[in-house]
Amino acid sequence: MTSFIFYYFKKPGVEFPFPEIYFRDYESKLLDKLLSCALNPEEKDRASEGVARSYKIVLIKGSRKIEGKYIDYVSELIGKKFVSVGSLVQELGPNDEDFKITEWLNKKEKKSTVFVSFGEERKLEETLPKGFLERVGERGLVMEGWAPQLKILGHDNIGGFLSHCGWNSVLESMHFGIPIIAVPMHLDQPIIARFVEDIGVGVEVVRDSKGQLHKERLAEVIKQVVIEKSGEFVRIKAVEMKVKISDEVVAELVEVCTSSSSS
């Protein structure tokens, strides 16, 4: 959601022209706090400087087929042509850990398993409640450190992806047609979660007005997305999107380069 981020810094206080994409009050406050603490002035200007140095086009990771109006908006806002380069999902070769995961997943029923990953947002020991591993037993597989996300999402027995909604993770989930249980944390993740829900490939686990997450709501959304009849539209849409977001960058780049050379 490049368009929203540029808008957020370029037009502070002005309402975004697409009301389906927004920050809740507690999310805006958290974002401002994180940015003020984490970034120095040079880092804050890095993205805008990179765009300024580009000639006539700016390449962004994503798909025009699902982001067309947002890409057109940021192109107009910045005054340069933004071109999506597709999802750029590239599967890695197998390793010993892959075989362990695949063997475990092979024992599950088709579309029955939920993959849970928050990227590098949380340390495992800080996330799992006391006694969790003992209670889960063989029903779940907990991995410390890096996990082969693409290999997992591409397995036939994965029925849902509980994600923090990092942009890479969302694109990878859509690449494999896996519906998303959206649990955004901070930065641009909340607006990506709104986008995921708006295009129909996932459902957000909405927090309370103080930003607190409740386990009952989390369980409801997981059941809806993976099992229940009410979530069938999300599962169908996720599969449809798998076909829709095929990389379309070549044709658009040829068009842009041709028009640039003739002008």
Side-chain angles (χ1 to χ4, degrees):
M1 293 302 296
T2 305
S3 61
F4 188 93
I5 297 302
F6 275 102
Y7 141 82
Y8 191 82
F9 291 109
K10 198 172 182 66
K11 292 190 173 183
V14 178
E15 186 175 351
F16 192 53
F18 307 102
E20 68 274 13
I21 306 298
Y22 60 92
F23 277 124
R24 296 187 174 93
D25 288 342
Y26 69 85
E27 293 166 341
S28 293
K29 292 176 183 177
L30 178 59
L31 177 62
D32 291 340
K33 182 178 179 180
L34 287 171
L35 291 177
S36 63
C37 294
L39 299 180
N40 58 46
E42 290 76 17
E43 289 175 320
K44 288 182 179 180
D45 295 335
R46 186 176 299 167
S48 58
E49 287 177 359
V51 170
R53 290 174 182 174
S54 65
Y55 179 50
K56 289 186 177 181
I57 64 172
V58 179
L59 303 182
I60 57 173
K61 190 173 184 179
S63 172
R64 166 163 282 281
K65 292 179 181 178
I66 58 175
E67 301 175 81
K69 63 182 180 181
Y70 306 113
I71 293 174
D72 290 340
Y73 172 74
V74 73
S75 295
E76 182 180 347
L77 181 68
I78 303 301
K80 296 190 178 184
K81 177 75 172 178
F82 278 65
V83 179
S84 59
V85 297
S87 59
L88 301 182
V89 174
Q90 184 176 5
E91 295 191 47
L92 303 175
N95 57 43
D96 292 340
E97 199 65 44
D98 292 356
F99 291 119
K100 174 185 175 182
I101 295 170
T102 301
E103 183 180 17
W104 185 85
L105 282 171
N106 286 342
K107 299 175 183 177
K108 303 301 177 182
E109 295 182 9
K110 190 171 183 178
K111 301 298 181 185
S112 67
T113 305
V114 176
F115 174 46
V116 180
S117 175
F118 293 113
E120 299 178 358
E121 299 292 333
R122 295 286 187 273
K123 293 182 179 179
L124 190 61
E125 60 270 20
E126 297 174 353
T127 304
L128 299 180
K130 187 176 181 180
F132 177 83
L133 295 178
E134 291 76 12
R135 292 196 301 273
V136 170
E138 291 297 318
R139 291 182 299 156
L141 177 65
V142 178
M143 294 191 63
E144 294 191 57
W146 182 85
Q149 181 161 296
L150 296 178
K151 184 73 67 176
I152 295 170
L153 289 172
H155 197 284
D156 288 341
N157 293 344
I158 293 295
F161 182 19
L162 199 161
S163 172
H164 64 312
C165 286
W167 189 232
N168 286 341
S169 291
V170 166
L171 290 175
E172 289 167 3
S173 191
M174 288 195 288
H175 176 82
F176 290 105
I178 303 298
I180 299 169
I181 299 106
V183 186
M185 300 293 182
H186 51 61
L187 297 176
D188 61 345
Q189 295 163 12
I191 60 170
I192 294 173
R194 312 286 125 79
F195 173 73
V196 162
E197 194 163 61
D198 183 62
I199 64 175
V201 298
V203 177
E204 182 182 356
V205 182
V206 179
R207 300 168 185 261
D208 64 24
S209 59
K210 296 181 180 179
Q212 297 299 310
L213 191 64
H214 295 277
K215 60 182 180 181
E216 295 82 6
R217 179 56 183 159
L218 178 60
E220 288 174 3
V221 174
I222 292 175
K223 289 178 181 178
Q224 177 188 356
V225 170
V226 181
I227 301 173
E228 294 178 350
K229 184 73 173 178
S230 61
E232 187 175 8
F233 75 96
V234 178
R235 298 190 289 273
I236 292 173
K237 192 69 175 180
V239 174
E240 292 176 349
M241 198 63 68
K242 176 181 178 180
V243 178
K244 190 174 184 179
I245 66 165
S246 58
D247 296 352
E248 68 269 13
V249 63
V250 175
E252 188 166 4
L253 278 178
V254 169
E255 180 183 347
V256 170
C257 293
T258 302
S259 61
S260 296
S261 61
S262 61
S263 60

